Amino acid sequence: MSLEQVFARLPDPRSHSFPDHSLPRGDPVFPIAVAREELTTVLELYETFEAVDPTGLDANPFLEATTRYMQRAFGVSEYRPDEQLHDDIAALLNDFSDDLGGRALGVVDATPHHYRTLYFFLVSCRGYHTAPHIRFDPDEAAVETLYEIYQRVTEQDAYLKHPATVLD
C-alpha cells in the first residue's frame, strides 16, 4: 500500500476529536497484540522521524543564530512542540517494549495517552512527507505497520487496568 493511501485513511486533524475514555474507579487501557518485529519497525520509523528538523534550524545557521539570540534576549524558552512529541513517542515505545518483555509476541496495554501519541505520530509523518521544504520519505511498510497498531487501539474497547472496588 502506498503512503498516500495510508495517510488518506487518517481522520482529518481539523475535525477529529478524541473520545473521553475516563472510566470511574480505574485506569482505562486498550490491550492490543503487538509483535516484537512490529515494534522494531516502528522504532526504526521513529529514528528516521526524529532525525527530521521541521524548523530548518539545522540547515540554516543564520536562522539558528537569530532564534538563539531572540530566546536569550527576551527570555523565551527553547521549547519546541516536536520535541515533546519525540518524548511522547519514545515513552510509548518504551512502555510497549516493557510490556512485551523480550517475547516475540505479546499483549501491551495502550493508554488513552498512547492512543493520542500514535495519532499525532501518524499525522506528523503525513505532514513531514507532504511538506515541500522537508525531506522525509519513510518506509511504506513501517508507516503501514504504525497505522495497523493505531487501528488496533482505535478498534479495541477500553478496560480497567487497576479497578477500584467499593471497599477501597
Side-chain angles (χ1 to χ4, degrees):
M1 185 178 310
S2 73
L3 289 174
E4 286 73 25
Q5 289 175 331
V6 173
F7 291 145
R9 292 178 171 181
L10 285 173
D12 185 9
R14 293 173 290 185
S15 62
H16 182 66
S17 61
F18 296 103
D20 181 19
H21 294 291
S22 60
L23 297 173
R25 303 190 174 277
D27 301 324
V29 294
F30 309 95
I32 59 168
V34 175
R36 171 69 53 193
E37 181 180 307
E38 290 175 323
L39 199 55
T40 303
T41 303
V42 173
L43 178 61
E44 291 169 1
L45 175 63
Y46 167 66
E47 290 171 352
T48 306
F49 177 80
E50 187 182 30
V52 174
D53 178 28
T55 63
L57 289 175
D58 292 341
N60 187 340
F62 178 74
L63 179 60
E64 181 180 12
T66 304
T67 304
R68 300 264 185 250
Y69 172 76
M70 296 293 281
Q71 289 170 344
R72 284 193 307 263
F74 297 108
V76 179
S77 67
E78 295 186 26
Y79 168 76
R80 285 178 26 189
D82 61 320
E83 290 176 351
Q84 180 62 49
L85 179 59
H86 291 176
D87 292 345
D88 290 347
I89 296 168
L92 171 137
L93 293 171
N94 284 333
D95 290 348
F96 284 6
S97 180
D98 291 346
D99 286 350
L100 274 180
R103 294 174 300 211
L105 177 69
V107 175
V108 300
D109 290 331
T111 65
H113 183 70
H114 292 146
Y115 169 54
R116 287 188 297 275
T117 301
L118 287 167
Y119 176 76
F120 288 129
F121 188 13
L122 279 164
V123 169
S124 297
C125 283
R126 177 173 67 185
Y128 285 10
H129 180 69
T130 58
H133 67 287
I134 299 174
R135 291 188 185 145
F136 180 66
D137 294 317
D139 180 32
E140 292 178 11
V143 173
E144 192 169 344
T145 300
L146 177 62
Y147 181 76
E148 288 171 2
I149 292 172
Y150 168 76
Q151 276 300 110
R152 286 181 212 152
V153 173
T154 57
E155 293 170 356
Q156 179 61 272
D157 292 329
Y159 294 93
L160 293 178
K161 183 169 186 165
H162 300 290
T165 65
V166 177
L167 302 174
D168 286 345

